[in-house]
């Protein structure tokens, strides 16, 4: 039997940085535990935050990523023209374009089929962001 579900997952506001949300996402996708094989597509409905997959064990990785992206897309660059929403807004858009707004993750036996050291990140790029909405679409075959 085929499974198709879709829901919007609200992620509470976070400070700027890379936040592990793997278990938060998995616990909120209806029907994932019944999915033998499939795909979970995640899409963040914002232009100043991103989704990524990376290291889930050492928090130094998340800190290093944050520091690198602050250098890669600095605040107050003299060539920015989009300035109306604060000095963190244009860098947030650049980071979102570079990292991306969507992920597709395989599902195996009712779980995200991530590697041992992989986790799903919410990359928050704004200083004072609100909650973030992620559309989760699950497709697959149901366990018999």
């Amino acid at each position: 039997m085929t499974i198709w579900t879709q829901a919007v997952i609200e992620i509470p506001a976070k400070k700027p940085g890379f936040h592990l949300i793997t278990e938060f996402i998995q616990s909120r996708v209806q029907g994932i535990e019944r999915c033998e094989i499939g795909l979970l597509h995640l899409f963040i409905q914002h232009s100043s935050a991103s989704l990524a997959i990376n290291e889930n064990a050492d928090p130094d990785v998340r800190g290093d990523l944050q520091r690198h992206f602050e250098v890669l897309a600095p605040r107050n660059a003299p060539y920015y023209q989009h300035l109306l929403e604060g000095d963190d807004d244009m860098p947030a858009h650049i980071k979102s374009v570079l990292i991306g707004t969507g992920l597709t993750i395989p599902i195996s036996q009712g779980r995200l089929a991530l590697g041992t050291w992989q986790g799903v990140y919410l990359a928050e790029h704004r200083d004072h962001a609100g909650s973030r909405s992620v559309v989760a679409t699950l497709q697959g075959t149901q366990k018999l």
Side-chain angles (χ1 to χ4, degrees), residues 83-84 87 93 100 107 111 113 132-133:
L83 306 172
L84 295 176
D87 67 352
H93 293 310
I107 305 299
R111 302 277 308 159
R132 298 300 191 170
S133 303

Side-chain angles (χ1 to χ4, degrees), residues 88-103:
D88 66 331
D89 190 50
M90 192 59 226
H93 293 310
I94 293 168
K95 294 170 191 175
S96 178
V97 166
L98 292 173
I99 297 170
T101 57
L103 299 172

Side-chain angles (χ1 to χ4, degrees), residues 57-128:
D58 186 352
D60 288 344
V61 172
R62 296 190 302 274
D64 288 346
L65 285 168
Q66 178 64 14
R67 285 183 291 279
H68 181 78
F69 274 92
E70 290 297 323
V71 172
L72 190 63
R75 294 170 189 248
N76 300 313
Y79 44 85
Y80 293 162
Q81 294 183 4
H82 176 70
L83 306 172
L84 295 176
E85 297 178 55
D87 67 352
D88 66 331
D89 190 50
M90 192 59 226
H93 293 310
I94 293 168
K95 294 170 191 175
S96 178
V97 166
L98 292 173
I99 297 170
T101 57
L103 299 172
T104 301
I105 305 167
I107 305 299
S108 180
Q109 301 303 314
R111 302 277 308 159
L112 300 176
L114 295 167
T116 301
W117 306 112
Q118 289 183 315
V120 178
Y121 287 1
L122 166 69
E124 179 55 67
H125 307 306
R126 294 299 309 267
D127 290 339
H128 304 289

